[in-house]
């Protein structure tokens, strides 16, 4: 029988140094299935990261670290760079967020958020967490303003650590649509309507760069959890999958109704929305499941039907 | 989320509505009739608010 000798266990304030510490998916900004920049609210660039703005405008882009740089440790490849132009009203805002599946995530626990950030000049941003109990039925009201903290950025990369007491969900009611969540928000610009959620951040324009985001149990920020690209991509594919080239091809016995389907490796969180481009024939109906999508339609004169650039979206 | 149009699609075997074809933010999408889908939620929110009408299937 072999024995395992543990020489040292460092006090991590209740967290664990074992795997799966980070509740954030794509915290290292490695996966960009939809594209490498976006200017519209919603999802459009870095996987799992959404953007929202009201009267303010923004461009969120993939940016790359220089090989060998030592400002941010462990050779990360990318970071998110967001240029904001404020609308300068009380209701103006610009933020990006990650919605973490299940409001049970870290509920009733002390958690620590850590990330690296800089800006084009000395500027504050605010971080906030919120708990949503989902939709459908009679869910409890969303809890906003959890752990609101101001972080003062400079023009140099700095690591920020924010320890938060995430409320218990005892006595709360979930909705019936399986879409409850814990949301992390980075407020970059916020008019006075949002003072309570942003420590009165205020309106501002500028460029904000963020890298290596981690949210974990415990009161101490442990080193950033590195996952392989394949592992991170698989985690992202629960919420978004793309097939850029030929996704599904079918051939009918005659130029009549044709069916073609595509299967996906990762089960999605919920029945996805499907967007696609038809390259042969005509698609008249799409049937999506958690792991496959079927395209029904009429084949072309050569009895063929084909689609490409399929995007399946099952984000919260 | 800017929803420009929405139209039901019927299942060819059951003849029941099976999905919604919608143009959202300039992209044509097939949206399932599923409460946990965020696009379906937004379509129904806009319908209830009187901002959107879903056309019947052909």
């Amino acid at each position: 029988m072999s024995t395992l000798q543990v020489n040292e266990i460092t006090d991590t304030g209740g967290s664990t140094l074992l795997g799966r510490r980070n509740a954030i998916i794509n915290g290292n900004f490695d996966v960009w299935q939809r594209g490498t920049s976006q200017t519209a609210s919603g999802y459009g660039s870095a996987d799992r990261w959404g953007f929202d703005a009201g009267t303010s405008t923004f461009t969120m882009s993939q940016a790359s670290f220089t090989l060998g740089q030592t400002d941010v440790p462990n050779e990360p490849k990318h970071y998110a760079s967001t240029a904001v132009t404020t609308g300068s009203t009380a209701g103006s805002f610009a933020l990006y967020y990650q919605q973490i599946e299940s409001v049970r995530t870290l509920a009733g626990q002390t958690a620590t958020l850590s990330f690296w950030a800089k800006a084009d000049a000395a500027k504050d941003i605010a971080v906030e967490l919120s708990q949503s109990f989902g939709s459908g039925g009679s869910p409890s009201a969303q809890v906003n303003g959890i752990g609101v903290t101001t972080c003062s950025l400079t023009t140099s990369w700095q690591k920020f650590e924010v320890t938060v007491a995430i409320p218990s969900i005892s006595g709360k009611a979930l909705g019936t649509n399986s879409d409850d969540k814990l949301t992390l928000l980075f407020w970059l610009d916020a008019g006075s309507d949002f003072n309570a959620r942003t420590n009165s951040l205020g309106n501002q324009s500028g460029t904000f760069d963020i890298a290596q985001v981690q949210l974990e149990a415990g009161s101490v920020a442990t080193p950033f959890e590195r996952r392989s690209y394949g592992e991170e991509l698989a985690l992202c594919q629960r919420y978004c999958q793309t097939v850029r080239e030929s996704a599904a091809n079918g051939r009918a016995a005659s130029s009549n109704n044709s069916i073609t389907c595509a299967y996906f490796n990762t089960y999605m969180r919920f029945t996805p929305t499907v967007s696609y481009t038809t390259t042969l024939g005509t698609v008249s109906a799409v049937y999506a499941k958690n792991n496959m999508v079927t395209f029904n339609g009429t084949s072309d004169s050569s009895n063929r039907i084909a689609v490409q650039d399929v995007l399946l979206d099952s984000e919260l | 989320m800017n929803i420009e149009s929405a139209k039901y699609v019927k299942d060819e075997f059951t003849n029941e509505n099976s999905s919604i074809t919608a143009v959202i933010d300039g992209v044509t999408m097939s949206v399932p009739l599923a409460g946990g889908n965020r696009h379906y939620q937004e379509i129904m929110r806009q319908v209830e608010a009187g901002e959107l009408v879903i056309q019947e299937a052909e």
Side-chain angles (χ1 to χ4, degrees):
Chain A
M1 176 186 294
S2 62
T3 57
L4 174 66
Q5 183 177 354
V6 178
N7 293 320
E8 182 182 6
I9 297 176
T10 303
D11 177 8
T12 58
S15 69
T16 171
L17 284 174
L18 299 176
R20 286 286 176 270
R21 284 173 286 126
N22 193 358
I24 298 293
I25 296 174
N26 202 25
N28 207 33
F29 298 98
D30 287 324
V31 183
W32 302 70
Q33 290 187 88
R34 293 180 178 87
T36 54
S37 69
Q38 70 178 99
T39 55
S41 292
Y43 295 93
S45 53
D47 273 57
R48 298 298 289 122
W49 293 100
F51 212 101
D52 199 8
T55 73
S56 300
T57 60
F58 70 92
T59 302
M60 181 184 183
S61 306
Q62 180 190 79
S64 299
F65 285 103
T66 306
L67 278 178
Q69 62 80 31
T70 55
D71 294 335
V72 179
N74 303 313
E75 288 285 349
K77 188 174 182 182
H78 297 304
Y79 58 94
S81 183
T82 307
V84 174
T85 301
T86 182
S88 301
T89 68
S92 298
F93 70 95
L95 61 85
Y96 66 105
Y97 57 87
Q98 182 159 139
Q99 299 182 316
I100 303 165
E101 188 173 347
S102 179
V103 74
R104 290 180 170 87
T105 305
L106 299 169
Q109 298 183 52
T110 297
T112 297
L113 169 71
S114 59
F115 61 96
W116 289 79
K118 66 180 176 70
D120 58 343
K123 290 185 171 86
D124 291 344
I125 63 172
V127 297
E128 179 200 16
L129 289 159
S130 76
Q131 289 175 315
S132 166
F133 296 88
S135 62
S138 302
S140 297
Q142 183 167 315
V143 179
N144 293 325
I146 301 168
V148 175
T149 302
T150 303
C151 299
S152 298
L153 279 52
T154 68
T155 55
S156 301
W157 286 107
Q158 290 180 83
K159 186 176 185 180
F160 294 89
E161 300 180 9
V162 177
T163 297
V164 180
I166 299 183
S168 165
I169 55 174
S170 176
K172 300 288 188 179
L174 296 179
T176 55
N177 285 331
S178 302
D179 56 352
D180 52 286
K181 60 208 171 196
L182 173 70
T183 302
L184 166 66
L185 302 98
F186 287 99
W187 291 86
L188 310 180
D189 164 39
S192 57
D193 288 355
F194 307 101
N195 281 352
R197 299 179 63 182
T198 65
N199 282 347
S200 303
L201 178 66
N203 292 125
Q204 61 179 348
S205 300
T207 300
F208 305 86
D209 299 336
I210 295 183
Q212 292 197 338
V213 184
Q214 180 154 289
L215 180 66
E216 60 190 309
S219 58
V220 172
T222 63
F224 185 76
E225 178 185 30
R226 296 300 303 268
R227 297 191 280 245
S228 71
Y229 180 84
E231 205 175 0
E232 203 72 53
L233 176 62
L235 293 173
C236 292
Q237 285 177 329
R238 179 167 169 77
Y239 309 91
C240 175
Q241 297 193 40
T242 57
V243 182
R244 289 293 174 203
E245 297 178 0
S246 181
N249 300 288
R251 184 177 284 271
S254 62
S255 182
N256 210 322
N257 283 345
S258 286
I259 298 175
T260 188
C261 62
Y263 292 88
F264 297 95
N265 292 329
T266 304
Y267 257 71
M268 303 197 75
R269 181 192 66 82
F270 206 87
T271 312
T273 297
V274 183
S275 57
Y276 58 94
T277 300
T278 307
T279 53
L280 294 171
T282 303
V283 172
S284 56
V286 179
Y287 301 96
K289 300 289 183 187
N290 296 57
N291 73 328
M292 66 169 287
V293 57
T294 303
F295 301 91
N296 280 21
T298 307
S299 51
D300 68 1
S301 57
S302 299
N303 304 333
R304 299 172 302 176
I305 186 168
V307 297
Q308 67 177 32
D309 294 337
V310 176
L311 189 148
L312 296 96
D313 183 313
S314 186
E315 297 283 358
L316 286 153
Chain B
M1 197 181 291
N2 178 30
I3 302 175
E4 296 160 41
S5 66
K7 184 176 184 178
Y8 282 112
V9 175
K10 283 189 185 296
D11 183 290
E12 64 180 308
F13 302 111
T14 67
N15 207 35
E16 298 289 328
N17 288 334
S18 60
S19 64
I20 296 169
T21 296
V23 178
I24 302 174
D25 296 329
V27 178
T28 302
M29 300 179 181
S30 174
V31 179
L33 308 182
N37 178 288
R38 67 191 180 96
H39 296 107
Y40 181 71
Q41 290 173 1
E42 180 62 18
I43 288 171
M44 298 316 293
R45 188 197 67 75
Q46 292 193 17
V47 168
E48 288 174 16
E51 300 165 0
L52 179 71
V53 174
I54 308 174
Q55 297 173 48
E56 291 301 320
E58 292 172 350

